[in-house]
Amino acid sequence: MWRSLAARPGGKLLFSAAMCLRVPYFRTVLPHVRDLRPGRCEVSAPNWWGVHNHLKTFHAIAACNLAEIAMGMLAEATVPPTHRWLPKGMSVEYVAKAETGLTAVAELAEIPEFGDEGAEVGVPVVIRDKAGKPVVTATITIWVTRKPGHR
């Protein structure tokens, strides 16, 4: 779907809306997928009252949601159709106050081989503010296995 929509006017926004229909909880951060390819996903979210905490800054858990979107889209673009993935864990560091809209980039240094054995894959995600300053860093571990009946 990304390949057919991304190059068209409004296509990235349409893709982002379709993603939110498939995973409704993602709507809470109003995500906009900006880049998606095997091994990389970039997604942004505006700073709006729906993601604010009591300090009127981007809530830490809303930022985690943005990280999970970036990781999930990267996994969808990277893991072959013969395999499936499940999130297994997440470690997060809140490194600065998030006072603007944010952009999350999930990126693998190299794409692993996906074979018959299950594999843990750590997906690093860096979330930056509008000035490019990191505000959240995360590693989301996914468990990748071959789908039953796909040899």
Side-chain angles (χ1 to χ4, degrees):
M1 181 189 269
W2 173 259
R3 283 189 292 265
S4 65
L5 291 175
R8 297 178 183 200
K12 291 178 182 179
L13 285 173
L14 183 59
F15 176 87
S16 299
M19 175 191 65
C20 288
L21 286 173
R22 175 113 165 113
V23 188
Y25 183 71
F26 286 171
R27 285 188 296 226
T28 61
V29 296
L30 305 176
H32 181 183
V33 178
R34 305 226 174 240
D35 183 30
L36 178 60
R37 59 183 185 261
R40 187 175 197 283
C41 178
E42 179 178 329
V43 60
S44 63
N47 184 19
W48 69 290
W49 67 268
V51 295
H52 283 174
N53 58 22
H54 63 291
L55 302 173
K56 296 195 180 357
T57 61
F58 214 101
H59 193 284
I61 300 305
C64 287
N65 194 13
L66 186 62
E68 189 173 0
I69 294 166
M71 173 282 302
M73 292 294 97
L74 172 144
E76 286 295 311
T78 306
V79 174
T82 55
H83 288 66
R84 60 183 173 193
W85 62 272
L86 292 168
K88 189 173 180 184
M90 181 177 197
S91 65
V92 182
E93 297 288 327
Y94 305 106
V95 296
K97 197 183 321 180
E99 300 177 299
T100 70
L102 301 177
T103 298
V105 175
E107 194 162 29
L108 294 173
E110 64 180 64
I111 297 173
E113 290 289 325
F114 298 105
D116 290 336
E117 299 298 317
E120 278 190 8
V121 178
V123 179
V125 182
V126 177
I127 301 175
R128 298 177 187 279
D129 66 12
K130 293 251 184 218
K133 178 177 74 174
V135 296
V136 176
T137 59
T139 299
I140 303 173
T141 303
I142 59 174
W143 178 243
V144 182
T145 58
R146 186 174 293 278
K147 290 178 181 175
H150 286 84
R151 291 282 161 202

